[in-house]
Amino acid sequence: MTRTKTLSFLTAAAAGALLAACAVGPKAPEAALPTSGTGGFIGAANPAVTATTPARDDWWRLYDDPTLDGLIRQAFAENNELEAAFANLRAVRASLSEARVGRFPTTTTSAQAQRSRASAATVTGLPAGEDAPEIDTYDVGLSASYEVDLFGRVESTIRAARADARAAEAALATVQVSVAAETARAYADVCSANAQIAVAERTLELQRNTANLTQTLLDGGAGTGLDVASARAALAQTAATLPTLRASRNEALFRLATLTGRTPAEADQAAAACVRPPQLSRPIPVGDGAALLARRPDVRQAEANLAAAAARVNVATANLYPQISLGGSFGSTALESSELGDDQNYRFSFGPLISWSFPNVFAARAQIQAAGARSDAALATFDQTVLTALQETETALSNYANELDRRAALTEARDQAARAAILSRQRFNAGADSFLVVLDAERTQAAADAALAQSDALVTTYQIALFRALAGGWQAES
């Protein structure tokens, strides 16, 4: 998607907010996201890496890893951040239900029994020294009132609450995207750390054999102390990498336990035993820019916040005008409870009510300006969210494609380093080279193996970052 096309539909969103009208004040824009393809991504030119087919919500299934599938399923069911987001959504939906009540009449029922006595000084014709009589009064009734929404205050309040609900739904989806991606990344980090530990342990075994050989040669008078010291130094250097790798593995495992709602002591043992990062056997489906913006929950949340802010400008404007209500009541009042149903004791009232707290014009204008400023801020946030979504996706595509190229080069380097190590040992055995050449070749091979294992880990990390940028995983499994 080009910058010109992106900014054109953002301008359309702003124009929609200004041109649409309600009873008073501006009307919130409808969805301003493009609905047709607007071109592919810059970083999606290699068909071996990406495909233009629509991105998948259940992207983790592309790895064909049952352990990963189970972890994602458990995270969706047990993650505490998700539970909090669900609770927040329920609260916002309850507020929407409360706002919708404004469309309907409000009713009140009452029943009262009261004994009273007036002051003797206020009762005329009462003999001196006598108390006023005590009177029992009984009353039952029903009253109702309905606000005539001439200036759109009620409907604007409902639109704002409805937009808040959409924003909360998108916020929940954002958490779902994050939980799915972070769970997969933690699992991949565990697997990658185990793979790098295995490489280090194989290298350590090779270097231990080499150190033993140099000592045997020295004991037999055919070696040198320099060979022994160099071999032992290489052995110690490799051994020093293992504690760091094990700590990284444990950190990722504990992070995975937290994401799936478990304590570190309850970390998944199948994940702990994984020895290879998840691998893709097909290109990543990325879709196009328009589809990305339509599915990204942060974009949808920003759009909903914009709609809510515009609706609240309407509410602030409508508050300048009087509120008109139609009300009435019906009931019965009697001096005896048994007389409440008598015809002569019924009462009723009906009529319109106009209430207008005449506003201070400066305060009213300030409230409208504040609401308008918040609407402008929401529009700017929406624009920035769209640009950030595109930037994150292009960056993820670039990182992934370039790391694939780097891994291919590192694979070639590893293969050649392994061949060089074999040849150097053969030449040493034939007396053509010194043992230092063998040690140098083995160090090169160990470094190449470690670099390739790290690149394997980065490839998976960048894959997951790309899936996250494409907003995969925002619908939990049913």
Side-chain angles (χ1 to χ4, degrees):
M1 179 184 293
T2 65
R3 177 177 175 82
T4 300
K5 290 179 178 178
T6 300
L7 294 180
S8 67
F9 77 79
L10 295 180
T11 303
L18 295 175
L19 296 178
C22 186
V24 291
K27 185 178 179 181
E30 298 297 329
L33 298 176
T35 56
S36 60
T38 57
F41 296 105
I42 297 172
N46 188 348
V49 176
T50 60
T52 58
T53 52
R56 290 178 55 166
D57 291 336
D58 59 344
W59 52 267
W60 56 89
R61 296 191 184 280
L62 295 174
Y63 287 108
D64 296 323
D65 189 326
T67 299
L68 178 58
D69 293 344
L71 290 169
I72 297 286
R73 191 181 306 112
Q74 183 178 1
F76 277 146
E78 302 294 340
N79 184 269
N80 292 306
E81 289 185 55
L82 268 179
E83 180 60 32
F86 273 115
N88 182 62
L89 176 58
R90 291 196 299 270
V92 174
R93 284 176 173 171
S95 297
L96 173 59
S97 298
E98 181 183 3
R100 285 173 172 162
V101 172
R103 289 174 171 166
F104 305 102
T106 59
T107 58
T108 304
T109 58
S110 62
Q112 180 180 5
Q114 179 178 332
R115 170 166 290 188
S116 62
R117 185 180 70 182
S119 169
T122 63
V123 179
T124 59
L126 186 68
E130 290 190 15
D131 294 334
E134 295 181 355
I135 300 175
D136 292 332
T137 305
Y138 300 90
D139 182 87
V140 294
L142 172 69
S143 61
S145 65
Y146 173 73
E147 180 177 348
V148 182
D149 194 27
L150 292 181
F151 304 105
R153 187 189 68 83
V154 173
E155 283 303 316
S156 296
T157 301
I158 293 173
R159 280 207 310 276
R162 187 181 296 119
D164 286 341
R166 293 202 307 272
E169 290 170 358
L172 168 62
T174 298
V175 177
Q176 289 175 320
V177 168
S178 177
V179 167
E182 288 302 311
T183 300
R185 189 166 72 89
Y187 173 65
D189 287 348
V190 173
C191 299
S192 298
N194 281 336
Q196 292 177 66
I197 289 170
V199 169
E201 288 176 341
R202 287 196 302 270
T203 301
L204 199 64
E205 182 63 23
L206 175 64
Q207 291 175 337
R208 186 178 291 112
N209 292 336
T210 298
N212 292 337
L213 176 60
T214 58
Q215 184 64 51
T216 300
L217 291 174
L218 178 62
D219 293 343
T224 68
L226 177 60
D227 292 343
V228 173
S230 298
R232 288 178 176 174
L235 178 64
Q237 268 190 326
T238 301
T241 65
L242 282 171
T244 300
L245 291 173
R246 287 168 181 153
S248 297
R249 188 262 317 276
N250 292 340
E251 183 274 334
L253 194 59
F254 299 154
R255 179 159 36 97
L256 180 61
T258 300
L259 285 162
T260 54
R262 295 179 175 179
T263 65
E266 299 171 320
D268 190 276
Q269 293 306 305
C274 175
V275 294
R276 186 188 183 195
Q279 303 291 312
L280 285 178
S281 59
R282 68 196 86 175
I284 295 179
V286 298
D288 59 24
L292 166 74
L293 298 180
R295 66 185 276 115
R296 284 268 302 211
D298 54 347
V299 175
R300 292 187 284 115
Q301 183 178 4
E303 183 189 12
N305 287 335
L306 174 59
R312 290 189 170 95
V313 176
N314 296 358
V315 175
T317 306
N319 286 335
L320 290 173
Y321 298 88
Q323 293 185 17
I324 300 175
S325 299
L326 298 177
S329 64
F330 176 81
S332 177
T333 303
L335 298 178
E336 298 289 343
S337 60
S338 59
E339 297 174 355
L340 285 174
D342 293 350
D343 292 342
Q344 67 274 17
N345 291 332
Y346 284 115
R347 58 173 175 80
F348 72 91
S349 65
F350 178 78
L353 172 65
I354 299 178
S355 60
W356 189 11
S357 178
F358 191 81
N360 180 303
V361 66
F362 297 107
R365 286 178 179 175
Q367 291 172 358
I368 295 173
Q369 288 172 355
R374 285 189 285 270
S375 181
D376 291 341
L379 177 58
T381 300
F382 173 74
D383 290 352
Q384 184 61 29
T385 302
V386 168
L387 294 176
T388 300
L390 294 172
Q391 173 249 311
E392 288 179 353
T393 304
E394 292 289 7
T395 299
L397 280 166
S398 176
N399 288 342
Y400 177 47
N402 282 288
E403 191 59 36
L404 286 177
D405 292 341
R406 178 172 176 266
R407 185 175 68 174
L410 287 173
T411 300
E412 175 66 16
R414 188 276 315 272
D415 293 343
Q416 293 302 321
R419 184 169 181 270
I422 294 173
L423 291 175
S424 66
R425 186 170 288 276
Q426 290 174 349
R427 288 176 61 82
F428 169 75
N429 292 337
D433 284 331
S434 72
F435 199 76
L436 290 177
V437 175
V438 176
L439 290 175
D440 184 63
E442 289 182 351
R443 276 194 294 266
T444 301
Q445 181 183 3
D449 283 337
L452 181 57
Q454 292 172 354
S455 182
D456 283 338
L458 276 178
V459 165
T460 303
T461 296
Y462 288 147
Q463 286 171 353
I464 294 170
L466 177 56
F467 284 128
R468 181 173 187 166
L470 295 169
W474 58 267
Q475 288 182 339
E477 294 178 328
S478 57

